[in-house]
Amino acid sequence: MPAQPNFARLRQFIGELASLIDTPATEASLLSQARPLLAELVRQDDWLPDDFAQPHPERYQQFLLHADARQRFSVVSFVWGPGQRTPVHDHRVWGLIGMLRGAEDSQGFAFDPAGRLRPQGAPVRLQPGDVEAVSPQLGDIHQVSNAFNDRTSISIHVYGANIGAVTRAVYGPEGQEKPFISGYSNTHLPNIWDLSREPLA
Ligand SMILES: [Fe+2]
């Protein structure tokens, strides 16, 4: 990571995503157009400041990087310490997950006809540069784990809301739903707007 993170990448992503969201579209259309933007953002690992890439020894971290002024979307870095994982949880809004560093496994879940929550399909492994989508329309319940027991992994998530403030759910082993508002791990945002610090174009 250079001394000055390449914030231009994150600014470009945020600007292009805001333009997309300004244009009415179905969720499927929005996701298909947003996916390559996130893929471009995570294609190079030179822009995430170190403060937003730090694991915690006991729990995964979710650092808010940017929230849209109208809370139409948020961008979050998820930092997984060795072996860390989420509970089984849902989102209630669309989301895109782009792998920046390391790797993670996402196991989908769905309710069977008897109302039991069961793993659905094989886990999906995300490698750097990969992008995956979640949403109530696509399958919204999953559990995410760091694929490594000996190093940190980081993924960049974009959601169709201020995700840390959304009332959603985590699920117990029998599928019991428990209300969940994730919040964020950080109290300050990265200052990506001080253009005086950047080389003149
Ligand atoms: Fe998730």
Side-chain angles (χ1 to χ4, degrees), residues 89 91 142 144 159:
H89 66 277
H91 311 84
H142 71 169
V144 181
Y159 299 97

Side-chain angles (χ1 to χ4, degrees), residues 15-35:
E16 291 180 351
L17 190 63
S19 295
L20 259 187
I21 289 175
D22 282 341
T23 309
T26 62
E27 180 186 284
S29 168
L30 174 67
L31 288 176
S32 72
Q33 294 178 83
R35 184 183 275 268

Side-chain angles (χ1 to χ4, degrees), residues 85-97:
R85 63 176 55 194
T86 67
V88 178
H89 66 277
D90 64 19
H91 311 84
R92 312 279 172 107
V93 295
W94 63 261
L96 287 168
I97 299 154

Side-chain angles (χ1 to χ4, degrees), residues 148-170:
F148 296 106
N149 286 318
D150 60 355
R151 59 175 158 129
T152 298
S153 293
I154 301 176
S155 50
I156 305 302
H157 300 212
V158 188
Y159 299 97
N162 173 10
I163 192 66
V166 172
T167 302
R168 46 197 177 120
V170 295

Side-chain angles (χ1 to χ4, degrees), residues 1-8 11 46-49 191-199:
M1 172 67 58
Q4 174 63 16
N6 189 349
F7 285 139
R11 282 198 306 273
D46 63 356
W47 57 270
L48 183 66
N191 183 354
I192 64 173
W193 301 106
D194 184 355
L195 307 187
S196 75
R197 293 172 171 273
E198 296 184 13

